[in-house]
Amino acid sequence: MSLAVALTRAQEGVAAPLVTVEVHLSGGLPGTSIVGLPEAAVREARDRVRVAIQNTQFEYPARRVTVNLAPAELPKDGGRYDLAIALGILAAGGQLPRESLHGCEFLGELALSGELRPVTGVLPALLRARHGKRCVIVPVENAREAALLNDVEVRVARTLAEVCAHLRGAESLPAPRNDDAMPSPAGSGGPDLADVRGQLQARRALEIAAVGGHHLLMIGPPGTGKSMLAARLPGILPPLDENEALQACAVRSVCGLPIEPGDWKRRPFRAPHHTASGVALVGGGSHPRPGEISLAHHGVLFLDELPEFDRHTLEVLREPLESGRIVISRAARQAEFPARFQLVAAMNPCPCGYAGDPNGRCRCTPDAIARYRGRISGPLLDRIDLCVDVPRLPLSELDGARRAQDESSETVRTRVIGARARAMARAGKPNAALSTREIERDCALGDGERALLQRAMDKLGLSARAYHRVLRTARSIADLADSDRIGRAHLAEALQYRRGDAGAAHA
Ligand SMILES: Nc1ncnc2c1ncn2[C@@H]1O[C@H](COP(=O)(O)OP(=O)(O)OP(=O)(O)O)[C@@H](O)[C@H]1O
Ligand SMILES: [Mg+2]
Ligand SMILES: [Zn+2]
């Protein structure tokens, strides 16, 4: 029987399910059919593969060629199956030893010349292949991301001919070079907090946000340093561990974005413009692609001018803000993408930007201000633990030399890492991710503190969610102070960052 089997992988969210390519040659009219839910680009593989095989000095079988992609219910798209299909056809026709395909997985699109073209999602595929103990052959242009993993056997190839030579044992393919995958020292590079003058309260809030992974909203007039501060959050966060870095890179890989070997361990920082579409922001499309919130996985999503974002899109954020993932459903398929990002948002206090400014420059009516703030819904605001004013600075603070209070990112980061380590030792996760039960265990209050919190809840009209969020923030503040117990001062400070509730509800 002229049957050959080659393994490859599909792309489904950031997963990479195994796909078995079966090729059967039979008598009858020459022709090729591909079955197994192939979409247009996969059906076109028929022509690409035929020409590529001919241009590689092989013969395309003059028989009936049936290619089956299993499992059939998995929709298949793109040119990523080309290489596996070509090898299956060559093996079925006896131009390659059939056993030579065993123990390997193949990824790659074919050019008509027989050259291999890069595909998206190589990293997710390799993460899955880790467990299969098979060698994975990938196009040379995907070598950089392939080099990030050192526990999978990977070989890189330029052409179909090279892959065939390797499989026949004539010439073996090289492994991706690992040396340029060495990460630069974590936290290096990027803008430094030492550039920011004053804004002590905002700096403090940024530090607490970094400790616990809390979401942060900065409110202030134009040009006071909100964007500067936001851009400096990744630089004070604890380093990504290997696994987190790989997960973050996997999203980039699915999007076909480059992964720089030098800084693949750096925390993502995504700052989409407010005109970005809903799909660009949260992901979607008929072949679901991840959006900015997934590209910010394990990093920071900065939404500048928050009220200018499409209201519906902001509402969609509510779910991932709590669950850390987004499920995109389309008629044909469903995809899930990770989206455990830390939200940093900035806004002006009113449409003109100067409400509350001592020089009385703001001419906005209370109505206009209410409408402006009302664009951010209560439920969204409820999920933001830290809300802080970033007021205009007096000139005296801006000019002149850097003062001791303008600490560098390095100094702040050292404190953050220490405080985060306490949280990790206690609960195994950052404080913002504590479940209700873990809050009961780790955020127990004394009588005095409980009374304070009760009064504040009544006064600010806090929701049950806000109550838990205050406790998580207070836990982070206590961790920064190296305190096992949440003290009165920690709780009071945490409450102070919730003024947003009252502001939005009653402005
Ligand atoms: N606290 C600060 N320390 C040092 N420079 C500052 C500070 N605030 C503002 N600047 C200067 O003003 C510029 C604008 O700051 P930034 O973009 O952070 O303002 P913003 O608060 O985001 O304003 P907008 O509301 O218009 O977006 C900075 O590039 C910097 O030159
Ligand atoms: Mg700005
Ligand atoms: Zn105004």
Side-chain angles (χ1 to χ4, degrees), residues 23-148:
V23 180
H24 183 243
L25 303 189
S26 56
L29 230 45
T32 304
S33 54
I34 300 181
V35 298
L37 216 55
E39 303 205 7
V42 181
R43 286 197 297 271
E44 288 164 5
R46 214 164 48 176
D47 297 320
R48 278 194 304 274
V49 166
R50 182 172 41 78
V51 179
I53 285 181
Q54 285 162 348
N55 283 336
T56 306
Q57 316 303 327
F58 287 109
E59 271 179 40
Y60 197 82
R63 300 168 71 185
R64 178 93 223 136
V65 180
T66 308
V67 178
N68 180 35
L69 307 175
E73 67 275 9
L74 186 74
K76 300 170 192 75
D77 188 41
R80 57 193 305 112
Y81 307 102
D82 289 2
L83 177 61
I85 293 173
L87 294 169
I89 291 173
L90 291 175
Q95 299 184 79
L96 270 182
R98 255 169 247 171
E99 325 72 64
S100 69
L101 303 187
H102 298 169
C104 290
E105 295 179 18
F106 306 95
L107 296 169
E109 179 176 331
L110 283 171
L112 297 184
S113 61
E115 270 173 86
L116 284 176
R117 292 212 163 114
V119 296
T120 58
V122 164
L123 187 58
L126 293 178
L127 286 169
R128 289 300 184 94
R130 263 175 166 174
H131 313 294
K133 308 217 183 319
R134 282 183 285 260
C135 171
V136 187
I137 297 183
V138 305
V140 69
E141 281 174 66
N142 290 119
R144 290 184 136 198
E145 56 182 296
L148 299 182

Side-chain angles (χ1 to χ4, degrees), residues 195-197 199 221-228 304-305 348 393 398:
D195 308 335
V196 180
R197 297 282 165 275
Q199 303 300 10
T224 53
K226 301 184 294 298
S227 300
M228 282 182 92
D304 207 353
E305 330 262 356
N348 297 133
L393 286 180
L398 261 178

Side-chain angles (χ1 to χ4, degrees), residues 216-390:
L216 169 69
L217 170 63
M218 293 181 282
I219 304 181
T224 53
K226 301 184 294 298
S227 300
M228 282 182 92
L229 285 159
R232 285 156 178 78
L233 177 55
I236 61 169
L237 286 169
L240 284 174
D241 68 29
E242 178 106 3
N243 207 11
E244 290 170 329
L246 287 173
Q247 285 178 24
C249 286
V251 180
R252 286 186 74 81
S253 172
V254 166
C255 290
L257 293 174
I259 292 165
E260 294 307 326
D263 58 14
W264 68 282
K265 281 200 170 170
R266 194 166 288 165
R267 297 244 175 210
F269 179 79
R270 305 293 300 185
H273 193 254
H274 59 75
T275 53
S277 70
V279 169
L281 214 61
V282 301
S286 53
H287 302 292
R289 273 172 58 93
E292 291 289 339
I293 63 169
S294 296
L295 286 165
H297 185 50
H298 290 312
V300 176
L301 179 73
F302 178 41
L303 300 184
D304 207 353
E305 330 262 356
L306 188 65
E308 305 294 334
F309 279 82
D310 173 57
R311 178 151 189 171
H312 171 74
T313 308
L314 288 184
E315 294 310 300
V316 178
L317 291 186
R318 282 159 54 178
E319 158 68 27
L321 273 172
E322 293 210 315
S323 66
R325 63 201 186 92
I326 179 109
V327 177
I328 295 163
S329 302
R330 286 292 172 276
R333 56 214 278 194
Q334 197 180 53
E336 179 180 321
F337 294 106
R340 190 162 296 292
F341 58 88
Q342 190 169 356
L343 176 67
V344 178
M347 63 185 276
N348 297 133
C350 68
C352 85
Y354 294 98
D357 201 295
N359 63 12
R361 207 162 145 185
C362 172
R363 295 272 173 272
C364 303
T365 62
D367 219 33
I369 296 180
R371 235 177 303 122
Y372 181 73
R373 298 203 176 179
R375 284 192 218 163
I376 302 155
S377 73
L380 178 62
L381 215 52
D382 215 23
R383 287 162 167 80
I384 300 180
D385 294 340
L386 302 162
C387 177
V388 70
D389 277 330
V390 188

